[in-house]
Amino acid sequence: MKKFWDSLDKKYVKICGYASATVIITIIILGLLYSSGVFWVRLWSIFTAVLKPVVIGGIISYLLKPIVDRFDDFFNRNKYHRWSRYLSILLSFLLILAIFALIIVILVLTIYKNVSAINADTIMGLADLIQNDTENLYTAIDNLLKSVGLSISRFSNLLFKAVISVKDIITGLFFGIIFSIYFMMDGRRIKDYWKRAFAIITGKKNEERVEQFWHDADRIFSGYLRGQFIDASIVCVLTGVVFLIVGVPEALLIALLVGIGNLIPYVGPIVGYCAVTLVCLATGSYHELVVGLVSLLIIMVIDGNVINPRLLSSNIKIHPLLVVAALIGGGALGGFVGMLVAVPVAALLKLYFDRFLAKKESEDNN
C-alpha cells in the first residue's frame, strides 16, 4: 500500500481530494435545502412581496420625475424653498389623478349615453324574462361553461382567485405609490448611499461600469418611455378633436383607446381602425366610417413621421423587424408591461452589441 501511495502524483491526489470534498459539501447543502423547502419557499414569497412595491415605486418615481422636476424648478426659480419638493410631488400626483378621473368620466358618460337609449319597457321586459327563466338561464350558463371545460364551481374558484389577484394588485400599487413618494423626496441620497456601498464592495472600476450602464439605460428608457407617453397623449387629443369635428360616434372613447394603444408601437393604429369600424358599422354611420378611417390614417402618418421621431430620443434607432421581434418576446414574457419595455431593452442591447463590434474592429485594425 505504501508503495502504491508513493507512486501516486501528490498534486493530482490533492486536486481529487478537493473535488471530492466539494461534491460532498454540495450534496449536503442541496439536501439541507431540499429538507427545508417550506422555509425557502416562504422566504422567497416574503422577498417577492417586498420587492413588488419597491419595483412599482421605482417605475412610478422614474416616470413622474420629469413632471416633479418641472414643478420644482418653477417654485425655485427665484429662491430655493424646502417645501417646493413636497408640493411638486403632490401636484404631480394630483395631475395624474385628474387625467385618470377624466378617463373615467369619459367612460361613464359613454356607458350612460348607450344605456339611456334603452327605454324603460325594454328594461322591465328584460327583468321579467330573467325572473321567469332563472332556471333556464342557470342551465344555459352551466352548459356554456361545460362546453369550454369548466363547471360553475370551478368558475367560482377562478373568479375568487381573480378577485384575490385584483386585491394584490391594488395593495401593491398602494405601497408602490408610498415607495415612489420617498424615492422622489430622497432619491439623490438613496442613490449616493448605494453608489458608495457598491464602490466599497466591488471596487472603483466596477462602479464606473455600473454608472455608465445606468447612464445608457436612463438615456434610452427616458427617451422612449416618456416620449411614448407624451406621443400617446398628443395622438389621443388630435384623434378626439378630429373625430368630434367629422362626427364619428363615440369620438372621445375611440380617441382614448387609440391613445392607450399608441403606447405600444404599431398597436395604436390597429386599435383605432378596429374601434372606428365596429362603432360606425353598429350605428350605421357609413359616411363617418370612411371619413374617420381617412382622418385616422392622416393622424398616424403625421405621428409616425413628425411627432414620434421628434419626441423619442435619437438613441432609439433600431430596425422595425427588431421592434416586432422585441414586442413578441416582451409580450410572451411580461404581457402588456413586457411589450411596453421590450423596445428600449432591445435598443439597449443593440447599443452594447454595437460597442462590442466597434471595440473588436478597433482591436483587429491595430
Side-chain angles (χ1 to χ4, degrees), residues 90-104 177:
L90 177 61
L91 291 176
S92 299
F93 276 105
L94 289 177
L95 178 62
I96 299 301
L97 285 175
I99 294 173
F100 276 107
L102 179 61
I103 293 173
I104 293 173
I177 292 174

Side-chain angles (χ1 to χ4, degrees), residues 180-225:
S180 70
I181 293 173
Y182 281 102
F183 288 156
M184 286 185 284
M185 286 193 301
D186 301 324
R188 184 174 295 277
R189 282 187 292 179
I190 295 173
K191 180 182 177 182
D192 292 341
Y193 173 82
W194 285 108
K195 181 180 177 181
R196 174 174 167 269
F198 188 84
I200 294 173
I201 296 172
T202 62
K204 188 71 176 177
K205 190 173 183 180
N206 289 324
E207 180 201 358
E208 293 174 354
R209 290 175 179 173
V210 173
E211 188 74 20
Q212 180 63 43
F213 174 80
W214 173 255
H215 175 73
D216 293 333
D218 178 60
R219 183 181 59 187
I220 290 177
F221 273 79
S222 62
Y224 179 80
L225 292 178

Side-chain angles (χ1 to χ4, degrees), residues 183-349:
F183 288 156
M184 286 185 284
M185 286 193 301
D186 301 324
R188 184 174 295 277
R189 282 187 292 179
I190 295 173
K191 180 182 177 182
D192 292 341
Y193 173 82
W194 285 108
K195 181 180 177 181
R196 174 174 167 269
F198 188 84
I200 294 173
I201 296 172
T202 62
K204 188 71 176 177
K205 190 173 183 180
N206 289 324
E207 180 201 358
E208 293 174 354
R209 290 175 179 173
V210 173
E211 188 74 20
Q212 180 63 43
F213 174 80
W214 173 255
H215 175 73
D216 293 333
D218 178 60
R219 183 181 59 187
I220 290 177
F221 273 79
S222 62
Y224 179 80
L225 292 178
R226 293 167 185 162
Q228 282 295 101
F229 276 103
I230 297 173
D231 177 70
S233 301
I234 294 174
V235 170
C236 178
V237 173
L238 282 177
T239 305
V241 171
V242 172
F243 279 10
L244 285 174
I245 294 174
V246 300
V248 174
E250 312 299 346
L252 296 181
L253 180 60
I254 296 175
L256 180 62
L257 294 176
V258 171
I260 295 174
N262 218 52
L263 291 172
I264 304 174
Y266 306 117
V267 174
I270 298 174
V271 172
Y273 297 140
C274 292
V276 172
T277 303
L278 290 174
V279 171
C280 290
L281 289 179
T283 57
S285 307
Y286 303 113
H287 177 264
E288 287 78 4
L289 170 62
V290 177
V291 177
L293 290 176
V294 173
S295 302
L296 187 59
L297 176 63
I298 295 173
I299 291 173
M300 290 303 169
V301 170
I302 295 174
D303 175 59
N305 293 278
V306 180
I307 301 174
N308 197 272
R310 289 182 178 274
L311 287 174
L312 295 185
S313 170
S314 59
N315 297 293
I316 308 294
K317 289 184 177 179
I318 55 178
H319 196 275
L321 287 178
L322 183 56
V323 173
V324 175
L327 290 173
I328 295 173
L333 292 175
F336 175 78
V337 177
M339 294 181 72
L340 192 62
V341 301
V343 176
V345 169
L348 184 62
L349 293 175

Side-chain angles (χ1 to χ4, degrees), residues 20-94:
S20 301
T22 303
V23 171
I24 293 172
I25 293 172
T26 303
I27 293 174
I28 293 173
I29 293 174
L30 291 175
L32 291 174
L33 291 175
Y34 180 78
S35 62
S36 60
V38 176
F39 168 77
W40 293 108
V41 169
R42 183 168 296 180
L43 184 64
W44 175 253
S45 64
I46 294 173
F47 173 75
T48 54
V50 175
L51 183 64
K52 186 187 297 182
V54 172
V55 172
I56 294 174
I59 294 173
I60 293 174
S61 62
Y62 183 77
L63 294 175
L64 289 184
K65 187 177 181 298
I67 304 175
V68 174
D69 289 343
R70 287 290 181 90
F71 281 124
D72 206 17
D73 293 339
F74 174 78
F75 293 129
N76 293 323
R77 56 184 175 180
N78 296 324
K79 181 183 177 181
Y80 173 74
H81 301 285
R82 294 185 61 182
W83 49 262
S84 64
R85 193 68 179 176
Y86 305 103
L87 184 58
S88 299
I89 295 172
L90 177 61
L91 291 176
S92 299
F93 276 105
L94 289 177

